[in-house]
Amino acid sequence: MFDRPFWTSRIEQAWERRSLVWLVGVRRSGKTVLSRALDDVEYLDCELPSVRRLLADPESFLRSVRGKRVVLDEVHRLPDPSELLKIAADHFPTARVLATGSSTLQATAKFRDSLSGRKEEVWLTPMIELDRRSSGGDLPARLERGGLPAFFLRGGSEQEMQEWLDAYWARDVQELFRLERRSSFVRFVELILARSGGIFEATAFAGPSEVSRQTIANYLSALEITKVAHVVRPFSTRRATEIVHAPKVYAFDTGFVKTFRGWGEMRDEDLGVLWEHYVLNELHARGGVIDIRHWRSTKHQEVDFVIVRRGRPPLAVECKWRADGREDLTGLKAFRRAYPKGESLVVTSDVERSFQRELLPGVSVRYVSLEEMLRAVQS
C-alpha cells in the first residue's frame, strides 16, 4: 500500500473542527486502511459481533474512550448507529470519533438522526493525482485500472468487478435502502458504467432494466447517495438555445468504465473519455464546495464542466487528453459567444506550464494542468 497524506490531513483538520467525523466512500476505496494509518487511534470493526456487543451500551463505551481517538469502521452494521454517534457528539466531546460508511449518512434508512451540525463529513474519492504520485504509478495505468487502491496496484479483472457489484448490492444497497429486484438494479448499474459521461434519459434505462421511470429515479438516487454515480446537472439561464433539464451521469471509477465499455488496448480517444472522469474526481476531492454543471446547446455543442460561482461569471472547463493543437473547442466557443465573461480553461494531461491561445476575437482560453485548474477553481 502507499501513503495518502492528503486524506489523513483532511481527517485531522476535520477533527479540529468537530469531535465526530464521518468518512464516506465506495466499497474498497481504502477507508479501512486510511483509518488504521491515523496516529494513535483505537480501531473497531463494527462487522464483528464482539464489537457490536461492546458498543451495545454507548455511554459505558464512550466513557472508556474519553480523550482518545477511536475509529468505528462500517458503523452502519450497528442496530442504531445514529444513537451512539449522537451521544458521542453531544455528551463526550473529548472523544474523537471517526465513523466510516458507504453512503451519505443522513440519507440512509438506518440512521434515525442526520446528526446535522454535529459532524464533519470527509468524502474519500477514488485515488486522486496526489495518491497516484505517492504510489509511483503512471497516469495511463491509473485511468485504465481505476482508483480503488487494490485494483490499481494489481489490476482488477472483470470477474472481480462483478464480485464488487455483488457485494455492493448485498452489503450496501440492501442494508441501507432495501430495494428489490436485484437483477434490474445490477443491470441499471452496468448500463450506467457503460454509458458513463453521457446525457441521462430515464426511459433509455427503464426498458433494458425492466422497471418504471420512477424506479429508475430511485435507483439513480441510491447510486448518488453511495457515491457510485455522480449527476452533473445542466448550466442554463433558460435560453431557448440551451438544454435545461437533461443531466449527465458519471460513474465513480475509470477502471469500471473501461471494463464495462469493453475496451481492450487503449486509444487516445478512450484515454480522453477517462481523463474527463479523472478531472471530475479531482474537482470532487480537492475543488472545495463548488457547484459543478455541464453545458449543452440544442445544436449539441457542449462544455464538459461549468463551475457556477455566485456573483461571478461562470468558469468553463474543457478536458482534453493532449494539447496538440488539434483540439475541438467548438462547444467552448459557442459557450463564450453566449457567456463572454469568465475564464475558459482546457485541462490536459501533458501541460506542465500554462499558456494561452485565442478562442474568439478578444476572448482567450488558457491551457492548464490539473493543479492549475484546481487553483483557478478555488480562487
Side-chain angles (χ1 to χ4, degrees):
M1 196 49 72
F2 49 87
D3 293 333
R4 305 181 80 176
F6 172 84
W7 296 106
T8 53
S9 175
R10 176 158 289 188
I11 292 170
E12 295 289 355
Q13 292 168 8
W15 258 337
E16 290 176 4
R17 294 186 291 269
R18 299 278 184 184
S19 62
L20 174 61
V21 175
W22 178 254
L23 180 63
V24 61
V26 299
R27 180 162 300 280
R28 302 192 70 177
S29 58
K31 298 187 296 296
T32 297
V33 174
L34 180 64
S35 300
R36 288 180 174 273
L38 296 168
D39 292 334
D40 191 28
V41 296
E42 180 179 350
Y43 173 85
L44 296 171
D45 184 351
C46 296
E47 287 191 319
L48 298 176
S50 59
V51 171
R52 292 198 293 271
R53 288 194 296 271
L54 175 66
L55 302 178
D57 183 347
E59 290 184 63
S60 295
F61 167 73
L62 291 166
R63 284 193 198 95
S64 72
V65 294
R66 277 178 171 156
K68 297 181 181 180
R69 294 145 59 101
V70 60
V71 173
L72 302 177
D73 202 4
E74 299 288 323
V75 73
H76 60 273
R77 305 291 180 209
L78 301 179
D80 188 0
S82 56
E83 178 188 44
L84 170 63
L85 299 180
K86 184 177 179 181
I87 292 171
D90 290 349
H91 301 287
F92 297 89
T94 64
R96 289 291 182 265
V97 177
L98 176 70
T100 80
S102 300
S103 70
T104 302
L105 183 150
Q106 60 267 32
T108 59
K110 258 208 164 183
F111 287 86
R112 301 169 188 172
D113 192 302
S114 69
L115 305 178
S116 178
R118 294 182 172 92
K119 70 182 187 310
E120 282 277 326
E121 184 168 296
V122 175
W123 172 14
L124 178 61
T125 68
M127 290 169 58
I128 59 174
E129 182 68 0
L130 299 176
D131 298 327
R132 181 191 69 78
R133 293 175 187 170
S134 178
S135 75
D138 65 26
L139 180 57
R142 162 62 181 86
L143 298 182
E144 289 187 53
R145 295 179 179 181
L148 303 187
F151 286 10
F152 169 74
L153 291 173
R154 57 176 174 75
S157 66
E158 183 173 352
Q159 179 180 345
E160 286 177 302
M161 291 184 179
Q162 285 289 353
E163 290 171 355
W164 185 97
L165 282 178
D166 290 341
Y168 170 61
W169 164 261
R171 303 180 66 186
D172 294 331
V173 174
Q174 279 290 82
E175 288 195 15
L176 296 171
F177 305 102
R178 302 184 181 91
L179 296 178
E180 299 178 352
R181 299 193 62 174
R182 176 193 177 279
S183 61
S184 294
F185 181 82
V186 172
R187 177 58 178 156
F188 174 69
V189 177
E190 291 173 343
L191 289 171
I192 288 291
L193 292 167
R195 301 175 186 180
S196 180
I199 295 294
F200 182 84
E201 294 285 352
T203 52
F205 292 85
S209 302
E210 299 181 333
V211 292
S212 67
R213 281 174 54 93
Q214 182 56 52
T215 300
I216 289 294
N218 294 339
Y219 286 177
L220 182 59
S221 177
L223 294 191
E224 268 199 285
I225 290 167
T226 53
K227 310 296 188 183
V228 169
H230 313 303
V231 177
V232 178
R233 291 172 174 79
F235 171 84
S236 172
T237 55
R238 299 286 176 174
R239 296 169 185 255
T241 57
E242 295 175 329
I243 302 297
V244 299
H245 295 300
K248 292 170 75 173
V249 174
Y250 290 82
F252 74 105
D253 182 69
T254 58
F256 278 72
V257 171
K258 172 188 178 292
T259 297
F260 281 85
R261 286 196 175 198
W263 288 342
E265 185 175 347
M266 300 297 288
R267 304 164 298 172
D268 274 0
E269 52 264 45
D270 302 331
L271 289 168
V273 170
L274 300 183
W275 173 248
E276 184 179 333
H277 287 71
Y278 194 53
V279 170
L280 180 61
N281 191 64
E282 291 288 326
L283 288 169
H284 284 149
R286 296 199 281 161
V289 182
I290 54 175
D291 185 0
I292 306 170
R293 305 292 182 97
H294 78 92
W295 182 81
R296 193 181 196 205
S297 74
T298 53
K299 296 181 179 179
H300 306 294
Q301 299 155 321
E302 299 185 50
V303 172
D304 293 330
F305 304 119
V306 176
I307 311 302
V308 182
R309 299 179 289 186
R310 183 173 296 180
R312 299 172 64 187
L315 171 64
V317 177
E318 272 288 292
C319 308
K320 303 295 181 185
W321 177 238
R322 301 289 187 197
D324 57 11
R326 296 176 295 174
E327 305 85 36
D328 181 5
L329 301 182
T330 304
L332 193 54
K333 290 177 181 178
F335 181 77
R336 283 304 173 204
R337 288 190 184 101
Y339 301 95
K341 294 182 179 180
E343 190 173 14
S344 300
L345 305 177
V346 175
V347 57
T348 79
S349 66
D350 61 348
V351 167
E352 296 181 359
R353 187 171 182 177
S354 66
F355 60 89
Q356 290 192 355
R357 289 178 178 163
E358 185 178 66
L359 183 66
L360 296 168
V363 179
S364 63
V365 58
R366 188 157 63 99
Y367 285 68
V368 298
S369 65
L370 273 176
E371 299 301 325
E372 288 173 304
M373 176 202 69
L374 290 167
R375 285 195 289 271
V377 168
Q378 294 164 352
S379 65

